[in-house]
């Protein structure tokens, strides 16, 4: 179920971009590039869960034949349907993610989730105000989070839908973003598309990033 929702979320913003004219058709090809590794890991986990369940059933049958009424207690429960690393921890590598390097993502783990704001990872939760999270800033638009939002707000980004949000000092420091203008660019599906540890080198930085992420170069 989780994988199905993420599949739709990954594809729908790309389709919307193409239909509304702010993404190129080749962006649609990144859907398979990003989601196939997750699908393979999901299938591997499903097979593993089935084997665990069969083991428990076999053991329980042996206990019942031996007259044991106590429930089965095995150190397997924490591994059954342990999906934190697979759902919020899914990592993407494609033309729609600006990593700054060509290294492949780490092998997916279905059980471990370590929050990170590196490109390709899902943007972690952090409180922006006592009742508003970074996740509340996401929607049918790109979100730019920065401890110095004014440095980015003056950049022209039409035709892409974009909202600029202030990022508090604590999460900015945690992710080693300069308080003078470091930033995270988050896609509509919640995955980090690009990051800048330092202030933007020029006023076209964001425009170039959005163009690359969406495979679209608007006419000037």
């Amino acid at each position: 179920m989780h994988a199905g929702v993420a599949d739709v979320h990954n594809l729908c913003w790309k389709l919307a971009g193409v239909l509304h004219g702010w993404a190129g058709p080749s962006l649609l090809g990144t859907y398979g590039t990003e989601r196939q590794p997750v699908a393979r890991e999901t299938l591997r986990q499903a097979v593993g869960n089935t084997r665990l369940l069969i083991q428990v059933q076999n053991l329980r049958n042996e206990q019942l034949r031996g007259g044991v009424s106590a429930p089965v207690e095995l150190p397997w429960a924490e591994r059954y349907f342990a999906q934190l690393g697979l759902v919020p921890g899914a990592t993407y590598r494609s033309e729609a993610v600006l990593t700054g390097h060509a290294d492949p993502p780490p092998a997916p783990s279905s059980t471990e989730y370590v929050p990170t704001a590196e490109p390709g990872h899902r943007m972690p939760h952090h409180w922006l105000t006592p009742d508003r999270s970074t996740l509340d800033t996401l929607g049918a638009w790109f979100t730019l989070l920065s401890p110095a939002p004014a440095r980015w707000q003056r950049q022209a980004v039409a035709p892409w839908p974009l909202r600029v949000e202030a990022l508090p000092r604590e999460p900015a420091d945690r992710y080693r973003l300069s308080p003078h203008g470091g930033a995270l660019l988050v896609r509509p599906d919640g995955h980090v598309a690009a990051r800048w540890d330092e202030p933007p080198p020029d006023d076209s930085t964001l425009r170039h990033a959005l163009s690359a992420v969406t495979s679209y170069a608007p006419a000037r």
Side-chain angles (χ1 to χ4, degrees):
M1 178 177 178
H2 293 295
V5 171
D7 286 332
V8 173
H9 206 184
N10 184 287
L11 183 58
C12 69
W13 75 268
K14 298 172 182 178
L15 283 170
V18 174
L19 293 174
H20 289 286
W22 49 260
S26 62
L27 176 64
L28 301 180
T30 65
Y31 165 72
T33 303
E34 294 180 348
R35 292 302 300 173
Q36 279 184 357
V38 180
R40 287 194 292 267
E41 177 60 20
T42 300
L43 178 59
R44 187 199 66 79
Q45 188 197 45
V47 172
N49 285 338
T50 301
R51 289 172 177 167
L52 285 172
L53 184 59
I54 291 173
Q55 290 175 11
V56 173
Q57 289 176 332
N58 290 339
L59 179 57
R60 182 55 176 162
N61 288 335
E62 291 178 6
Q63 289 180 331
L64 291 174
R65 285 194 294 270
V68 178
S69 60
V72 176
E73 294 185 6
L74 293 175
W76 64 276
E78 71 277 6
R79 292 182 288 133
Y80 191 75
F81 286 124
Q83 294 182 317
L84 280 179
L86 185 59
V87 181
T91 306
Y92 296 157
R93 288 290 186 272
S94 75
E95 296 298 319
V97 176
L98 306 183
T99 62
H101 55 75
D103 293 341
S109 169
S110 62
T111 58
E112 297 180 6
Y113 169 58
V114 179
T116 175
E118 289 298 316
H121 293 262
R122 183 165 179 80
M123 181 64 203
H125 153 77
H126 291 289
W127 290 114
L128 301 177
T129 65
D131 59 354
R132 189 165 183 259
S133 163
T134 50
L135 303 185
D136 295 323
T137 69
L138 309 179
W141 51 80
F142 287 89
T143 303
L144 188 132
L145 295 156
S146 173
R151 298 291 297 267
W152 297 89
Q153 285 173 330
R154 58 174 175 257
Q155 297 202 20
V157 296
W160 296 282
L162 176 78
R163 296 186 183 183
V164 179
E165 299 275 352
L167 187 67
R169 183 66 179 269
E170 188 277 327
D173 288 346
R174 177 181 300 183
Y175 297 125
R176 304 181 305 281
L177 300 178
S178 167
H180 305 295
L184 301 170
L185 178 63
V186 187
R187 307 185 326 185
D189 63 355
H191 284 258
V192 179
R195 64 172 286 156
W196 296 271
D197 296 341
E198 301 297 331
D202 57 61
D203 287 344
S204 63
T205 298
L206 186 53
R207 186 178 183 86
H208 288 325
L210 287 167
S211 178
V213 168
T214 59
S215 302
Y216 180 73
R220 294 187 178 276

